[in-house]
Amino acid sequence: MFSALLLLALAASARPSLLSDILTAFETAVDCASCHSVLLPPLQTAAHLGNDVFVSTLTTVCQTLKLAVDDVCAGEFHRSGPILAHSLRAFSVDGTTATKFCDAVFGLCQPPRVIPFTVPFPKAAPAIPKQFTSTGKAPFQVVHFSDVHIDRKYTVGADANCTKSICCRNFGDETGPATEPAGPFGNAHCDSPADLSQSMLRAIAGGELGFKAKFAVFTGDTVAGDTWLVDENEASRGLVDWNVDMLDGLTMTVYPSLGNDSVPVNSFPRNTTVTTLDPQWVFIIEKAGWKPWIGAAGADQVAHFSGSYAQVVPGTNLRILSINTQYWYKQNFWIYDSDTSIADPNGLLAFMVEQLQAAEDLGQRTWIIGHIPPGKADIVHDQSNSYDQIVQRYKNTIAAQFFGHSHKDEFEVAYSDYSNRTASNADSIVFIGPALTPTSGNPAFKLYDVDSDTYEILDAKTFITNISDPSFQTTPTWELYYSARESYGPLVGHLQAAEPLNAAFWHQLTEVFQANETAFQLYNTRISRGGAVSACTGYCKTMAICELRAARSEDNCDVSTPGIQLKKRATRGESRASDAPHEGRFGCNAGVSRLMTMFLAKRSA
Ligand SMILES: *[C@@H]1O[C@H](CO)[C@@H](O)[C@H](O)[C@H]1NC(C)=O
Ligand SMILES: *[C@@H]1O[C@H](CO)[C@@H](O)[C@H](O)[C@H]1NC(C)=O
Ligand SMILES: *[C@@H]1O[C@H](CO)[C@@H](O)[C@H](O)[C@H]1NC(C)=O
Ligand SMILES: *[C@@H]1O[C@H](CO)[C@@H](O)[C@H](O)[C@H]1NC(C)=O
Ligand SMILES: *[C@@H]1O[C@H](CO)[C@@H](O)[C@H](O)[C@H]1NC(C)=O
Ligand SMILES: *[C@@H]1O[C@H](CO)[C@@H](O)[C@H](O)[C@H]1NC(C)=O
């Protein structure tokens, strides 16, 4: 009792000097060494004084340094502060975990070297891999949509011009008439209104676009980007409502994967973490919501394997392996809560191996689907490296991979030898689905033509609705934007009729991009579906091509920099740097680390 009181008194009295220590540390930390020696110690001191002290101190820091408007500071640290504090209490200031933390949260360190880990496989790859041969049967179609970010509080007429990371809501601190009233179907400064998502579902199911898909793939991120406000109640309802919307709106099976859909954003503690903030509620919602599509067995896996499952598409020889990538995500602040490296958090790499081995044994092909693409800078290098070992071992079984998260229409190529990235070493292809949310370009989805024998991809077509079109706010129309086969096929060379758009094809396309500026600029426009185009030449182009040639994050050429997110919310009229091909490390992530890196960049500018 006495010591608790003493601690309280100490906490209270420590606060003013602690606050100034932290403010000074923010002003003086300039690199990785000073992150360890100057910035982390006072933050750890605050964390040891308890979550409440930590949250209130960091909220004051955020407000004093004007990292965001006051309510956003308060909301973000109220939500993510306890997780940061939990991890700050757990790692030693000079260890590898601390370096990872300094990279992820402040952009002050580069990611440390990959911690060697050899993924165990039950069997060696067969000496003679099974041949999957196309017989020229008619292909079938599959729809892929992603990052819907539906804002159930979107308010028609509310201001689309605001000081938060998403607008079009009646925020309490907004007074006066709207300078840019939100239209019924969406705005580039706001997440998707439900009517926009309904419009997309009708376009997919309605048949007017001339296709009838066999099934759909949804690669995650359901709820809106109000990361400083969202609570478990709102997020739960968002997940449930979207499952119902997809079930009612689409007449086909949907194979979903989990995005960052937890509260606080991205928070998925590993099973080695002792906490009351368990995201099991997310798995329970999805277990029930996805069951109509993936059956009772798939639904049980969702609950058992932290949101992951694998199911064979009925009537096919294709296994869908859906992986929850959040445990490999740098912005999941729970993963920094130990100095001991955990090679395979929650056993998801082992789950992948088990499923891929089963597919190989049965002569099946597999599609891997998930939220965060394995080569992105925001995937921890360690797990990305392990993931790549799995892809290399089962490359003959994996026909293609499908991810979302970046909001961009893009791709990643995997190689058997990353020191020698050639077409003949290219051996797996990651298709990245563009977002529905209009915050990063025109709302879009993809449609694949799939070889009925090999399950490889014959064409990837992108469909959009154009938010700048005068009819968009009354009757959004969806249209074919481009076909990769038609547009890129002739640039790459002679594609035979049954030849798929495989990893070698996409590698060759990156060679075309290198040599042909017009072709690269066409791709650069298509990233945002012509909706938020950023100039990209020279260094930017070199980096963009390197990123396309990396499905393993240690090879994507990314360099951590404080404040690469600085231009994230560009003001009206400017192109948005966040949509440049080399957008930077946090993808679409908002939240506390964005606030802190923004500050560090501003200070050094
Ligand atoms: C957006 O709002 C700000 C502040 O209220 C105002 O100064 C600015 O003119 C507005 N922009 C537009 C395009 O209406
Ligand atoms: C996931 O990240 C996006 C981008 O920052 C954000 O808009 C969204 O709110 C996040 N999801 C949740 C559940 O917070
Ligand atoms: C965490 O998951 C792994 C892999 O499934 C399992 O081996 C381990 O026992 C689990 N640990 C705890 C504490 O539940
Ligand atoms: C790179 O890989 C190709 C096969 O794609 C091979 O012919 C060549 O010798 C390799 N070069 C090096 C330097 O390893
Ligand atoms: C969208 O519509 C605007 C206005 O009509 C037009 O300028 C723009 O080119 C269109 N974008 C695309 C990708 O079709
Ligand atoms: C370069 O790409 C453009 C755009 O796709 C295409 O029209 C042109 O023919 C290409 N040039 C060459 C030399 O292949």
Side-chain angles (χ1 to χ4, degrees):
M1 189 60 197
F2 174 73
S3 65
L5 277 177
L6 188 70
L7 211 63
L8 263 180
L10 202 66
S13 69
R15 257 182 267 181
S17 74
L18 186 60
L19 181 61
S20 73
D21 285 355
I22 293 176
L23 284 168
T24 309
F26 264 97
E27 298 287 350
T28 49
V30 289
D31 55 13
C32 190
S34 49
C35 184
H36 284 275
S37 64
V38 177
L39 192 47
L40 292 181
L43 291 175
Q44 289 191 321
T45 303
H48 283 295
L49 291 171
N51 289 349
D52 292 348
V53 173
F54 183 83
V55 168
S56 66
T57 310
L58 267 289
T59 300
T60 309
V61 169
C62 180
Q63 291 169 344
T64 309
L65 299 176
K66 301 218 174 310
L67 308 190
V69 289
D70 286 359
D71 61 328
V72 173
C73 281
E76 293 289 7
F77 281 97
H78 174 69
R79 282 163 182 72
S80 293
I83 304 175
L84 291 169
H86 164 87
S87 285
L88 280 160
R89 286 189 290 266
F91 62 71
S92 47
V93 75
D94 49 4
T96 303
T97 303
T99 305
K100 291 179 175 175
F101 189 87
C102 286
D103 169 36
V105 182
F106 307 112
L108 286 170
C109 291
Q110 299 306 316
R113 260 173 197 290
V114 169
I115 300 168
F117 175 69
T118 305
V119 177
F121 297 117
K123 294 180 189 168
I128 302 158
K130 180 180 159 79
Q131 295 288 311
F132 295 92
T133 322
S134 181
T135 58
K137 252 190 261 166
F140 64 87
Q141 271 81 41
V142 172
V143 166
H144 176 191
F145 48 91
S146 201
D147 297 85
V148 292
H149 289 297
I150 300 164
D151 186 358
R152 304 277 169 186
K153 292 187 178 151
Y154 185 99
T155 307
V156 177
D159 209 336
N161 173 21
C162 78
T163 54
K164 329 265 191 210
S165 52
I166 58 162
C167 305
C168 302
R169 279 187 182 192
N170 285 322
F171 293 114
D173 58 349
E174 280 173 6
T175 49
T179 55
E180 188 187 342
F185 284 96
N187 184 288
H189 297 268
C190 312
D191 271 332
S192 313
D195 285 347
L196 177 62
S197 60
Q198 290 293 345
S199 163
M200 180 185 74
L201 295 177
R202 277 193 301 274
I204 291 170
E208 286 88 3
L209 292 170
F211 65 82
K212 190 172 185 322
K214 193 181 185 82
F215 61 87
V217 164
F218 167 54
T219 49
D221 270 16
T222 299
V223 307
D226 55 332
T227 48
W228 72 101
L229 283 176
V230 70
D231 58 21
E232 192 174 311
N233 200 19
E234 181 187 322
S236 307
R237 270 202 323 260
L239 292 175
V240 170
D241 289 352
W242 178 234
N243 286 334
V244 171
D245 288 351
M246 289 191 287
L247 193 63
D248 289 350
L250 297 176
T251 46
M252 64 197 79
T253 296
V254 180
Y255 292 96
S257 44
L258 207 61
N260 61 0
D261 300 304
S262 179
V263 175
V265 55
N266 306 320
S267 70
F268 288 89
R270 300 176 292 195
N271 73 353
T272 43
T273 298
V274 179
T275 171
T276 53
L277 291 171
D278 193 309
Q280 197 62 28
W281 61 271
V282 177
F283 308 141
I284 288 172
I285 287 173
E286 302 300 33
K287 176 183 172 174
W290 297 353
K291 193 173 166 187
W293 303 307
I294 63 174
D300 281 345
Q301 288 175 334
V302 169
H304 272 92
F305 295 100
S306 313
S308 306
Y309 66 88
Q311 284 297 301
V312 176
V313 179
T316 75
N317 203 27
L318 175 66
R319 183 177 296 234
I320 306 275
L321 172 53
S322 177
I323 287 292
N324 177 4
T325 52
Q326 303 302 310
Y327 300 95
W328 312 333
Y329 187 34
K330 283 184 179 178
Q331 300 298 309
N332 174 4
F333 300 127
W334 288 109
I335 67 173
Y336 304 102
D337 71 352
S338 169
D339 275 330
T340 313
S341 142
I342 298 172
D344 183 9
N346 292 27
L348 295 185
L349 296 165
F351 179 68
M352 289 181 68
V353 169
E354 174 196 305
Q355 292 298 323
L356 286 161
Q357 186 62 57
E360 182 181 273
D361 290 345
L362 293 167
Q364 295 167 343
R365 278 222 133 162
T366 299
W367 284 3
I368 302 176
I369 70 173
H371 183 57
I372 309 174
K376 288 289 168 201
D378 47 17
I379 287 280
V380 179
H381 287 188
D382 299 337
Q383 277 81 38
S384 180
N385 182 290
S386 297
Y387 180 97
D388 182 65
Q389 293 177 43
I390 296 173
V391 169
Q392 295 309 320
R393 163 65 184 82
Y394 294 103
K395 61 189 172 193
N396 191 57
T397 297
I398 300 166
Q401 310 181 45
F402 305 87
F403 287 85
H405 179 65
S406 71
H407 291 195
K408 299 178 200 167
D409 186 0
E410 56 175 349
F411 58 92
E412 284 176 357
V413 181
Y415 299 86
S416 56
D417 179 359
Y418 269 95
S419 62
N420 185 13
R421 299 179 218 184
T422 61
S424 50
N425 291 342
D427 58 10
S428 193
I429 178 65
V430 177
F431 292 93
I432 300 178
L436 172 71
T437 181
T439 52
S440 35
N442 283 313
F445 64 86
K446 266 179 173 171
L447 179 77
Y448 303 103
D449 289 341
V450 183
D451 188 303
S452 303
D453 298 302
T454 67
Y455 306 103
E456 289 175 43
I457 302 304
L458 296 166
D459 197 3
K461 300 185 180 108
T462 299
F463 288 80
I464 63 166
T465 182
N466 184 343
I467 60 172
S468 310
D469 192 282
S471 69
F472 175 74
Q473 294 299 353
T474 49
T475 41
T477 49
W478 292 81
E479 59 189 348
L480 176 64
Y481 182 41
Y482 74 101
S483 140
R485 191 176 190 93
E486 265 173 36
S487 173
Y488 296 140
L491 294 176
V492 166
H494 307 282
L495 268 179
Q496 305 298 314
E499 237 182 292
L501 305 186
N502 58 15
F505 171 87
W506 292 99
H507 174 84
Q508 283 163 343
L509 182 61
T510 65
E511 289 177 344
V512 170
F513 289 164
Q514 253 172 340
N516 182 337
E517 192 60 30
T518 316
F520 177 75
Q521 292 309 329
L522 187 64
Y523 163 75
N524 185 50
T525 300
R526 287 172 174 172
I527 285 174
S528 66
R529 293 74 72 195
V533 183
S534 289
C536 184
T537 55
Y539 178 73
C540 172
K541 175 175 166 180
T542 306
M543 297 298 274
I545 289 174
C546 181
E547 215 183 325
L548 296 176
R549 291 180 182 164
R552 190 171 76 171
S553 61
E554 70 203 78
D555 296 292
N556 63 18
C557 300
D558 180 74
V559 180
S560 294
T561 331
I564 201 143
Q565 291 277 311
L566 186 60
K567 299 197 205 108
K568 170 121 178 133
R569 292 280 316 163
T571 45
R572 248 6 84 107
E574 283 176 45
S575 67
R576 293 182 170 202
S578 64
D579 299 306
H582 182 241
E583 141 187 349
R585 11 207 324 277
F586 299 136
C588 60
N589 182 57
V592 292
S593 65
R594 183 174 64 87
L595 300 181
M596 291 188 274
T597 56
M598 270 174 62
F599 168 73
L600 295 170
K602 252 190 243 165
R603 179 205 56 192
S604 57

